[in-house]
Amino acid sequence: MTINRANVSAIAEDLYVWLPPKRGWGLANCGLLASDTTALWIDTPYDPSMAGEFLAASRRLLPAGVEIDRVVVTHANGDHLWGAGVVPDAEVIATREALEHIHWEPTPKQQHALVTNSDPDSLLGGYLREHFGRFDWSATDPVHPDTIFTGELELRVGRYPVQITSLPAAHTGGDLIVHLPHQRAVFTGDVIFSSTPEQPGDHPSHWAGPLENVIGACEQALATGAEIFVPGHGPVLDRDGVREHIGYLAYVRERAHTLHAAGIPALDAARRVIAEQRHPELGLPERLVLTVAAEYRHLDGSAAPGALDAMGQVALVARELAEGTAARIPRPRTSRN
């Protein structure tokens, strides 16, 4: 997949953001912090082709002889990590907790085989091909962090400080945020999936939770005093945009808790939240299946499913939405005294 070079743009002094030209699974934002002596990536694109586009764009912005020598990964989903293979000499930095998520997901080559060899007429196979068939991981080896940490870590890129803070389990079990005080910017990773009226985004897909922690991470980003917030997906936000996203998260959390208390199973609860169409501008509403299920697990202690089982439910609801049957949900049973 080729990314238009115009999507790499300056947002502060020596700070650039790479924004995919459209929304969808796997199209994550990335950052470049440059200096006269060294350069840092914040997250990487999903596959070698896209990562190569970002690398070429980055090199055009760097002084002669300066290379990308460090990569900070906000979390271990492949669409933020797997592109690091195009800078093999760079130090990859992630939280200690991110290692568990790396082992939970398929490897790049496993995922490539899964997508390309799946039956396109099957529920899951059709969904995977539609949303992930654009990527090529056939020659992508797993990426393992060189440096892991917990708590806080401070780096310097030339004269610029970089403050990295690990988070409690939120989008995944190993998230972090990157604060650039000089630029008054924060890269939030996927604790924020952003949307604006000019550039609508997608519904978030949270794997770990609880949503209280996701909201807390957003509030922690605001507490830095930053003015620029680069989400994991979607357009760059200001402080009001982050507050609006917190409102979205609070709504989903309240509905999940109410439906759980009413005895509605998690999958049906997700269908109900989708049917309310509180945010019709957002794409991929079937991803609420993942977010609601994660919140339910914190309420009832149920075990997390495997990645393919979780995506199978996502594919099921996507099919229902395409067929117009997702809103046909049985009413909850009520007791009679």
Side-chain angles (χ1 to χ4, degrees), residues 193-227:
F193 287 71
S194 71
S195 180
T196 64
E198 300 76 21
Q199 189 177 344
D202 291 316
H203 282 277
S205 55
H206 293 304
W207 302 93
L211 287 171
E212 179 180 1
N213 285 358
V214 184
I215 292 170
C218 295
E219 292 172 339
Q220 190 168 342
L222 287 172
T224 64
E227 299 290 340

Side-chain angles (χ1 to χ4, degrees), residues 137-185:
W137 307 289
S138 57
T140 302
D141 292 322
V143 176
H144 299 289
D146 302 291
T147 299
I148 55 174
F149 75 102
T150 57
E152 297 185 354
L153 180 67
E154 184 159 336
L155 312 173
R156 296 197 71 85
V157 175
R159 63 190 178 93
Y160 301 127
V162 179
Q163 297 171 351
I164 309 171
T165 304
S166 65
L167 301 170
H171 172 67
T172 68
D175 301 333
L176 60 81
I177 59 174
V178 182
H179 178 211
L180 308 173
H182 181 88
Q183 288 79 9
R184 302 193 71 185

Side-chain angles (χ1 to χ4, degrees), residues 26-43:
L27 300 176
N29 300 331
C30 305
L32 165 68
L33 181 61
S35 78
D36 291 338
T37 57
T38 184
L40 170 77
W41 268 2
I42 303 169
D43 284 339

